[in-house]
């Protein structure tokens, strides 16, 4: 193919800086002659519309990190060529957004058949810092270096004041995790176990315990550097370092801390490059005798999409599980929080809440806050009736709540397979059938939509869930022992 014009020029408008001229066959370019606009302007406008739709679809943070840095280079026949600054970004964009981008381009410009993404550094243009990401992830990022405070801006958020050991109510479900956290916080020399791996469902106190460790060390070992951040933030910082070619600084910063805490590590499942970097950071810190604390929503072995060698490292130290709350713990937490709210909450109300709001501590706290806030607002004492009234939506949702995780666990144990097989890609009948049963029960017993259920089963499509539901219904009709199995599971889960 003959290329008619190769021209790289900056568009005069501010935003247009990031969009370059056309190197394609002008004749094939959509509508250039009719509008009086140059091809680069049209290309730019089309790309802007594509990105607008994409942004609405994927959200601001993902947009800022993956789409904004893309430069449209040219259109060459039916090929739109775009560039990103690093290979890692290209792989990511190709894996996650390429299909969407191609569809959108085609909708904008009928000539486009192929979208190419190449790696090319921007000459003379520094990629902008992804402020939006910094912003969204900032609440998760804390570095505590009390002696001097010369950290980069992105690491200087603070720990939650309320998340200390003495604000943590200990009961059977969390006593082991609590003891382990305390032990780590109080060990001034060698780590007692490395890493400390805390896991449990949402809202059960993992972040609280991690902050508590950080507060304690900060107080007792003021010279120690404690770095706390979410795995998400770790990834963003890593990617930014790659993009800005500051990876050496990045490594140095992470490898010079005394205690590294990474919250919600499940976030980097399936994110290979980030895992690789984390693995090396991890090893280097452990070799130096520095403490590592990790949290996740599952045990290391149940985390899917994690490299084997990383899983085995995570399993090396102490793995502590925070179990679902019990009535006693919930009541204890309500009593402790009730005292701090400056209003008398009748024991009957606390008991009622502990009985009814069972999902997690976060929800329990939220319920109590709502009841107290309402009473203060209307200037009345807190009563059971008012409580029921204020929380009627929440109470209804809690009435019959089974989580998909519980269903997966129960079904897996019933059929003697691993819970992780609920998310795995294995198709053997021995795991596929139980997985279908679990999907079926998730549809029956929860209010989750098909796509939501699919996502909880290793990111499967909603049509897979639909198929599973149909299949199980079919089997129930024709196979009475199968039907009994499903009934039994349903009763156990509802009971
Ligand atoms: P996770 O990180 O496990 O999702 P968080 O640590 O954010 O959960 O806890 C959610 C909320 O519940 C926080 O406000 C936390 O202070 C509170 N919380 C959780 N467990 C306890 C506990 N045992 N005692 C007191 N508060 C708790
Ligand atoms: Mg948390």
């Amino acid at each position: 193919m003959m290329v008619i014009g190769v021209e790289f020029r900056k568009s005069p408008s501010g935003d247009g800086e990031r969009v370059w001229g056309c190197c394609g066959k002008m004749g094939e370019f959509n509508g250039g002659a009719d509008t009086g606009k140059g091809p680069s302007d049209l290309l730019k406008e089309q790309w802007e519309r594509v990105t607008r739709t994409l942004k609405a679809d994927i959200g601001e943070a993902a947009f800022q990190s993956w789409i904004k840095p893309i430069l449209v280079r040219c259109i060459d026949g039916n090929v739109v060529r775009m560039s990103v600054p690093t290979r890692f970004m290209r792989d990511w964009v190709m894996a996650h957004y390429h299909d969407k981008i191609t569809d959108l381009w085609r909708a904008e410009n009928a000539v486009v058949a192929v979208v190419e993404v190449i790696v090319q550094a921007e000459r003379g243009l520094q990629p902008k810092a992804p402020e939006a990401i910094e912003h969204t992830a900032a609440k998760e990022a804390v570095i505590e270096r009390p002696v001097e405070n010369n950290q980069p801006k992105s690491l200087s958020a603070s720990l939650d004041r309320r998340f200390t050991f003495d604000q943590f109510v200990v009961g059977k479900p969390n006593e082991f995790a609590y003891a382990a956290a305390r032990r780590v916080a109080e060990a001034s020399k060698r780590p007692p176990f490395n890493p400390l791996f805390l896991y449990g469902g949402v809202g059960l106190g993992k972040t609280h315990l991690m902050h508590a460790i950080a507060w304690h060390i900060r107080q007792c070992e003021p010279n120690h550097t404690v770095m706390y951040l979410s795995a998400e933030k770790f990834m963003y910082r890593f990617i930014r370092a790659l993009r800005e070619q500051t990876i050496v600084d990045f490594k140095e910063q992470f490898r010079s801390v005394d205690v590294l805490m990474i919250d919600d590590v499940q976030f980097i499942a399936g994110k290979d490059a980030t895992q690789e970097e984390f693995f090396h950071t991890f090893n280097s810190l452990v070799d130096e005798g520095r403490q590592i604390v990790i949290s996740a929503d599952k045990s290391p072995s149940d985390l899917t999409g994690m490299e084997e060698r990383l899983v085995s490292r995570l399993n090396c130290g102490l793995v502590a599980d925070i179990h679902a709350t019990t009535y006693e713990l919930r009541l204890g937490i309500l009593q402790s929080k009730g005292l701090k709210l400056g209003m008398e909450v009748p024991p009957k109300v606390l008991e009622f809440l502990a009985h009814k709001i069972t999902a997690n501590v976060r929800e329990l706290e939220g319920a109590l806050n709502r009841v107290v806030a309402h009473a203060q607002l209307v200037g009345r004492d807190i009563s059971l009736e008012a409580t029921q009234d204020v929380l009627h939506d929440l109470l209804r949702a809690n009435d019959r709540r089974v989580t998909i995780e519980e269903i997966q666990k129960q079904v897996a144990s019933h059929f003697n397979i691993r819970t992780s097989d609920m998310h795995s890609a294995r198709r053997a009948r021995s795991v596929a059938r139980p997985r279908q049963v679990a999907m079926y029960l998730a549809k029956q017993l929860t209010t989750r939509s098909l796509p939501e259920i699919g996502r909880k089963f290793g990111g499967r499509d909603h049509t897979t869930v639909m198929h599973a539901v149909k299949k199980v219904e079919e089997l129930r009709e024709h196979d009475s022992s199968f039907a009994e199995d499903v009934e039994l599971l349903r009763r156990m889960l509802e009971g």
Side-chain angles (χ1 to χ4, degrees):
M1 167 186 297
M2 193 178 74
V3 175
I4 295 180
V6 180
E7 93 184 90
F8 271 14
R9 65 181 167 78
K10 257 195 219 178
S11 139
S13 73
D15 238 23
E17 270 197 342
R18 309 182 71 76
V19 182
W20 297 76
C22 176
C23 63
K25 251 169 128 181
M26 305 285 200
E28 284 179 9
F29 189 75
N30 188 22
D34 311 335
T35 58
K37 287 180 179 170
S40 73
D41 291 332
L42 277 173
L43 204 58
K44 178 188 149 198
E45 282 168 17
Q46 291 171 355
W47 175 237
E48 269 171 8
R49 282 195 293 271
V50 168
T51 55
R52 225 173 295 139
T53 316
L54 259 178
K55 189 170 171 177
D57 185 17
I58 65 176
E60 179 71 26
F63 174 81
Q64 291 289 340
S65 37
W66 305 112
I67 307 301
K68 187 116 182 271
I70 297 176
L71 287 181
V72 178
R73 293 284 176 181
C74 62
I75 183 163
D76 188 357
N78 59 6
V79 181
V80 165
R81 197 156 292 136
M82 314 201 296
S83 74
V84 289
T86 66
R87 175 186 290 267
F88 179 65
M89 282 196 73
R90 195 215 32 211
D91 293 348
W92 188 287
V93 169
M94 290 304 286
H96 294 87
Y97 305 115
H98 183 252
D99 291 351
K100 271 197 186 117
I101 293 176
T102 307
D103 287 348
L104 290 170
W105 260 120
R106 285 181 186 152
E108 278 299 327
N109 184 342
V111 170
V112 172
V114 179
V115 173
E116 247 181 41
V117 183
I118 57 171
V119 181
Q120 192 162 19
E122 288 176 71
R123 261 167 302 144
L125 274 178
Q126 278 301 312
K128 287 178 190 152
E131 282 95 355
I133 300 164
E134 292 303 326
H135 192 70
T136 50
K139 65 180 189 332
E140 295 284 4
V142 181
I143 183 168
E144 287 300 324
R145 207 192 300 239
V147 175
E148 32 154 74
N149 199 0
N150 57 356
Q151 297 78 31
K153 192 166 126 256
S154 61
L155 286 175
S156 58
S158 56
L159 297 165
D160 193 314
R161 295 234 147 257
R162 299 162 308 154
F163 291 2
T164 56
F165 282 125
D166 52 352
Q167 304 277 336
F168 192 82
V169 181
V170 186
K172 267 239 155 345
N174 59 25
E175 63 188 4
F176 184 56
Y178 172 82
R182 272 221 95 106
R183 180 93 176 74
V184 162
E186 283 162 10
S188 56
K189 299 218 168 56
R190 276 163 33 93
F193 16 76
N194 220 353
L196 167 60
F197 189 100
L198 299 170
Y199 79 94
V202 289
L204 295 181
K206 301 181 294 292
T207 299
H208 188 137
L209 281 179
M210 289 176 111
H211 284 208
I213 295 172
W215 280 122
H216 190 96
I217 296 177
R218 176 184 173 167
Q219 205 169 33
C220 301
E221 302 283 345
N223 292 321
H224 277 194
T225 314
V226 180
M227 189 188 273
Y228 163 89
L229 77 168
S230 67
E232 188 178 5
K233 179 78 179 173
F234 178 85
M235 188 182 88
Y236 285 136
R237 287 181 51 73
F238 170 56
I239 291 162
R240 202 182 56 177
L242 286 175
R243 194 159 59 213
E244 294 177 355
Q245 300 180 350
T246 52
I247 198 74
V248 176
D249 297 344
F250 172 89
K251 285 181 196 288
E252 217 163 75
Q253 202 167 30
F254 275 92
R255 290 170 199 191
S256 64
V257 300
D258 296 296
V259 182
L260 176 65
M261 301 204 233
I262 305 278
D263 208 350
D264 291 320
V265 82
Q266 72 274 3
F267 183 83
I268 62 167
K271 289 157 185 152
D272 297 346
T274 306
Q275 268 183 52
E276 166 107 21
E277 182 58 34
F278 177 60
F279 181 73
H280 294 308
T281 306
F282 185 103
N283 286 343
S284 131
L285 286 172
V286 170
D287 286 348
E288 301 259 318
R290 316 281 173 82
Q291 177 74 57
I292 296 181
V293 183
I294 310 275
S295 87
D297 62 351
K298 296 188 199 69
S299 74
S301 320
D302 275 337
L303 285 173
T304 41
M306 284 288 192
E307 266 186 71
E308 204 49 47
R309 58 180 186 167
L310 183 55
V311 169
S312 96
R313 283 298 160 120
L314 294 176
N315 262 318
C316 266
L318 184 77
V319 177
D321 182 356
I322 307 188
H323 298 273
T325 57
T326 56
Y327 174 77
E328 290 75 21
L329 178 61
R330 290 195 293 275
L331 191 59
I333 290 171
L334 286 168
Q335 284 163 346
S336 148
K337 308 241 174 211
L339 287 177
K340 290 175 203 113
L341 288 171
M343 224 177 144
E344 182 143 2
V345 191
K348 255 229 265 332
V349 169
L350 296 181
E351 283 158 24
F352 174 78
L353 291 176
H355 188 66
K356 288 286 187 184
I357 315 280
T358 55
N360 61 50
V361 183
R362 190 174 297 143
E363 207 162 277
L364 194 64
E365 259 188 333
L368 180 65
N369 288 339
R370 258 167 77 181
V371 170
V372 170
H374 179 264
Q376 281 170 344
L377 206 67
V378 298
R380 264 190 247 130
D381 286 347
I382 296 169
S383 69
L384 196 54
E385 291 70 45
T387 301
Q388 282 167 326
D389 218 31
V390 174
L391 300 179
H392 72 277
D393 52 335
L394 193 60
L395 293 169
R396 199 156 17 124
N398 268 277
D399 258 355
R400 195 180 125 242
R401 169 133 70 184
V402 185
T403 65
I404 293 182
E405 283 76 8
E406 282 165 1
I407 295 173
Q408 292 173 329
K409 232 183 191 163
Q410 186 86 27
V411 174
S413 103
H414 183 82
F415 288 103
N416 239 334
I417 62 171
R418 289 181 313 188
T419 310
S420 59
D421 275 329
M422 290 289 164
H423 318 273
S424 77
R426 288 183 59 202
R427 290 176 177 200
R429 165 83 59 94
S430 58
V431 296
R433 189 69 84 226
R435 199 187 289 131
Q436 288 178 326
V437 170
M439 287 182 193
Y440 168 82
L441 289 169
K443 184 76 201 100
Q444 302 292 316
L445 302 180
T446 73
T447 53
R448 299 307 180 108
S449 66
L450 294 173
E452 278 176 306
I453 296 174
R455 242 172 279 137
K456 294 262 184 177
F457 283 83
R460 288 181 157 79
D461 196 58
H462 72 279
T463 52
T464 310
V465 184
M466 217 144 70
H467 173 73
V469 172
K470 261 214 204 105
K471 184 82 204 163
V472 171
E473 272 165 359
E474 228 173 80
L475 285 168
R476 282 184 54 185
E477 275 194 58
H478 297 112
D479 181 344
S480 60
S481 88
F482 179 82
E484 263 173 44
D485 259 0
V486 175
E487 245 339 278
L488 179 71
L489 277 164
R490 177 214 288 279
R491 257 183 282 127
M492 284 199 299
L493 285 161
E494 278 189 321

